[in-house]
Amino acid sequence: MKRNICFHFQISQPCRLKTYRFFDIGLHHDYFDEYQNHYLANRLAERCYLPANKMFLDLINNNDNIYLSYSISGTSIRLFQEHCPEIIESFKALIATGKVELTGSTYTHSIAALHDKKTFVEQVKLQEKILKETFGVTPTTFCNTELIYSDEIGEWLNELGYKTILTEGAKHILGWKSPGYLYCNPFQTDLKLLLRNYTLCDDITLRFSDKGWEHYPLTSEKYISFLKSLPADAPFVNLYFDYETIGEYNTKESGIFDFFRCMFTTISNSGDFRFITPNQAEDIEKECELSVSTMHAPWPISSAGDEKDTSEWTGNELQQEAFEQLFKLEPLYSDSKNETAKQNWLDMQAADHFAFMSTKWLSKSSVRRNFDVYPSPYQAFINYMNVLNDIKIELEKNTKKAAPAGKSK
Amino acid sequence: MRVLMFGWEFPPHIAGGLGTACYGLTKGLAQNGVDVTFVMPKASGDEEKDFLKIISADNVVIDSRYSEFYSLNKDVSFIEVNSKLVPYIGMDDYFNVVNQMESGVFETWREGIQRKYNFSGGYGPNLMQEIERYAMVAAEIARQEEFDIIHAHDWLTYKAGIAAKQVSGKPLVVHIHATEFDRSSEGHRNSIVYGIEHYGMNSADMVCAVSDLTRNIVIEKYGVPAERVVTLHNAVEPKTTTVVRKKNVKEKIVTFLGRVTFQKGPEYFVETAKKVLEKDDNVRFVLAGDGDIMQQVITRVAELGIADKFHFTGFLRGSDIDQMFGMSDVYVMPSISEPFGISPLEAMRAGVPVVISKQSGVSEVLKYAIKVDFWDIDATADAIYGLLHYPSLTKMLSENGKAEVDNLKWESVAAKLKRIYESVLKK
């Protein structure tokens, strides 16, 4: 039996906030750092998205058995449309090959799944809408923000029609079990779970450029030998990366492009593996009569840190207050007619904003911190709360309920 | 191991941070099994003596037959200094000090060739003379006492340290609590003080600086090779009494506590207050302290029209400081240059969240403090506003800040110092 190897890349650039002081509240509503957004979209396009897309397009054109999948957050799509539309075009070209699956995700890289069903469903639907509009795609696989998943979130997604979910092979949930098998939601057994092998992913994302690592330099031969040493009866190897792994976290000079090109070509020509996209998992299950076991996740898991839980975003008091104040505005969002304020509220749900408030001091070194612009978690929190307070005022001003009463003249 | 340590003051009679630091450090050394003989110009007799031996320089009998004495005496130069010169001393107010302490160096006792000298141990107009005399006495002490290493605190004692080194041949460690670059602004630096500092640092076998900030000054401005300068952060003595939180006004209170001099940045505090008050009426600002730019600061407050919400307490000490912390909601230290800066630690110990300038040594050891550039009044105002309006931030900084400060122990600072001693002695 050939082992199935599932590559998935996530693109989730947030709208970055600029410094917004308390004395700006009520005065102006330009919260986002358009310069940074423009600069980073273009920098990432140049270093990562465009060359990586070209590399994969060439690989797909030259080998007929290469498949891969992406998730692109709605915020990223909007940023690209505004600042670097050629990224969108290059993804369209990839999708047109028929070998690339675009999965569902949240619209603004939101952590709404940790709040409630209503806000989460809103995020999922908005993302479906923008995927349909931009790429003409309706996803059947879901990749949540930072792979956040729980039994309950699984049920919500099943209700929305999703068949497969990508999530983390979290050790504290799996125990001795391998992430290389096919799992399902315990309550909706039709909902399949493909679990990430995070050790193998971190080997590339975190360690590829680490000269102190024992396996440095990591060659494709070495990496494929890691893949081969996995338990032989496990039918899946699921590798999900931030797309920035190629070209940004590991620069072009590190040899990351050659590494991927060589690895994909070798795997494509070898008899041991075959590339799949997540939506093929169901067919493979039937075809190979795989056994599927249930995975219980009563509390949310994620790909964050070593804990693989949600403490990266809601671990300390600052994050909890920001989280609470943010989602308290949901009724205002539903009633408001101010489309800009509504969009801003959605953007404020991005996981990145919360990660900047994290006080897990050691995790400062994690790759996401590359984009941290705040001198401390406290300043990140203060800035966030200032913006949120202004959004609240804006949403309140234009609610449907308030409108008829209005301000008496 | 025994250390011969030269200081200028020791609790309970202190004018500022130097004495407090000497107390913590010597006590910490005792806990690490290092014996200390502490020399000061004038001991009062009520110092805590159970963990160290204190020598008061005015009690030392000098025998002028020794050649070292003559050679030193020959070098002694009495320089009259302008009494407006402010030699270092912590947060205290120099002007009070001058008024409080009589000064002058004179013989108090003479018998044949033997004599004793009087010291004020203060910071008066005859400071330079005292420094020279102190060095002569130091040479005598170095001859009489048994010790392995010499440790001198701040420029006032460097000559004493060097004299002791010359007499005994034992290695010298000098400790920088502040430099002339922290004490005065560009163009107002005292070249005599700089000269003594330069001489002391470059004669030492090892230089301890109270922060990386100060360490860089020592390396860059005094030309001491980097490998001979180590950072030794201060700590804070655990508080025996607890500060009671008690407030008589309904508004939030934001406090500045320190000398009202250019280096402490009180002017930035005033501008920040204006920013916050424009948006938020429910807050009062308190400036506790006195100093040479007080008049300027008061005028600016009046100019900005915020005098109804901006209050001056004058110079505070002892229990008044505790009471001030007890009613504060935010403590601000906008120092332009602060070698260490112990007062934020005292605020944090009382559970008050702090906003401190990045240009302070203490910011190097704190995580649970908001750090801003002293000149960035927008950022400072924003931090204050955040602490006044977003309760989780206040709670986090208050609780974790207290725990953080309680963990800064002199015992561990002294343990590091002991290792420094050992490395110097090995050479």
Side-chain angles (χ1 to χ4, degrees), chain B residues 102-155:
Chain B
E102 58 184 71
S103 58
V105 180
F106 47 86
E107 280 177 18
T108 51
W109 177 80
R110 187 182 186 125
E111 201 177 282
I113 43 157
Q114 295 187 321
R115 53 208 73 182
K116 280 185 186 178
Y117 291 97
N118 177 61
F119 289 90
S120 74
Y123 303 92
N126 294 316
L127 192 61
M128 293 298 175
Q129 292 175 340
E130 290 210 22
I131 288 170
E132 303 291 352
R133 288 290 177 193
Y134 192 37
M136 292 194 321
V137 177
E140 183 62 32
I141 293 167
R143 188 171 14 253
Q144 291 169 9
E145 295 290 320
E146 295 258 324
F147 57 90
D148 306 298
I149 194 162
I150 308 157
H151 188 137
H153 291 280
D154 259 8
W155 68 278

Side-chain angles (χ1 to χ4, degrees), chain B residues 61 114 198 259 311:
Chain B
V61 175
Q114 295 187 321
H198 188 276
R259 267 186 302 135
H311 310 280

Side-chain angles (χ1 to χ4, degrees), chain B residues 349-382:
Chain B
R349 202 168 52 179
V352 184
V354 301
V355 181
I356 59 179
S357 80
K358 287 182 194 165
Q359 289 72 25
S360 67
V362 72
S363 72
E364 295 164 18
V365 296
L366 292 177
K367 271 182 195 161
Y368 290 99
I370 302 185
K371 301 166 196 176
V372 291
D373 287 304
F374 71 85
W375 44 262
D376 195 345
I377 50 173
D378 285 356
T380 313
D382 211 24

Side-chain angles (χ1 to χ4, degrees), chain A residues 199-249:
Chain A
T199 316
L200 282 171
C201 293
D202 290 350
D203 282 344
I204 299 178
T205 304
L206 302 178
R207 294 184 275 272
F208 185 80
S209 302
D210 178 3
K211 295 195 169 115
W213 184 37
E214 53 178 330
H215 295 296
Y216 183 89
L218 183 65
T219 57
S220 63
E221 290 84 4
K222 218 184 269 181
Y223 196 73
I224 289 169
S225 76
F226 294 169
L227 297 177
K228 285 185 177 162
S229 66
L230 291 169
D233 62 333
F236 292 95
V237 186
N238 303 316
L239 303 170
Y240 315 150
F241 303 91
D242 285 345
Y243 206 16
E244 295 80 15
T245 295
I246 310 175
E248 175 72 23
Y249 304 157

Side-chain angles (χ1 to χ4, degrees), chain B residues 190-248:
Chain B
N190 187 299
S191 57
I192 298 166
V193 174
Y194 174 82
I196 296 175
E197 286 178 335
H198 188 276
Y199 179 41
M201 292 179 203
N202 286 286
S203 309
D205 298 274
M206 188 60 81
V207 179
C208 295
V210 290
S211 60
D212 294 335
L213 191 83
T214 305
R215 181 173 180 267
N216 286 339
I217 294 177
V218 170
I219 294 167
E220 281 165 25
K221 308 278 189 189
Y222 293 86
V224 183
E227 65 274 14
R228 273 207 280 126
V229 195
V230 289
T231 300
L232 191 69
H233 287 114
N234 285 337
V236 67
E237 274 291 295
K239 187 110 184 143
T240 42
T241 55
T242 46
V243 172
V244 187
R245 293 218 45 91
K246 184 171 176 288
K247 210 155 70 169
N248 302 320

Side-chain angles (χ1 to χ4, degrees), chain B residues 10-83:
Chain B
F10 200 79
H13 303 283
I14 54 167
L18 181 58
T20 316
C22 287
Y23 177 84
L25 199 61
T26 49
K27 197 166 183 175
L29 282 171
Q31 284 162 335
N32 281 282
V34 178
D35 297 319
V36 179
T37 303
F38 190 85
V39 185
M40 58 195 287
K42 187 186 180 75
S44 314
D46 52 355
E47 288 86 4
E48 216 178 300
K49 290 192 201 71
D50 48 354
F51 57 86
L52 82 173
K53 174 179 171 188
I54 290 185
I55 296 179
S56 183
D58 60 355
N59 263 334
V60 176
V61 175
I62 296 203
D63 191 327
S64 53
R65 281 172 302 184
Y66 289 102
S67 59
E68 290 95 337
F69 171 78
Y70 287 114
S71 75
L72 275 166
N73 200 20
K74 209 165 58 195
D75 288 342
V76 168
S77 47
F78 292 98
I79 306 151
E80 290 298 334
V81 290
N82 187 332
S83 62

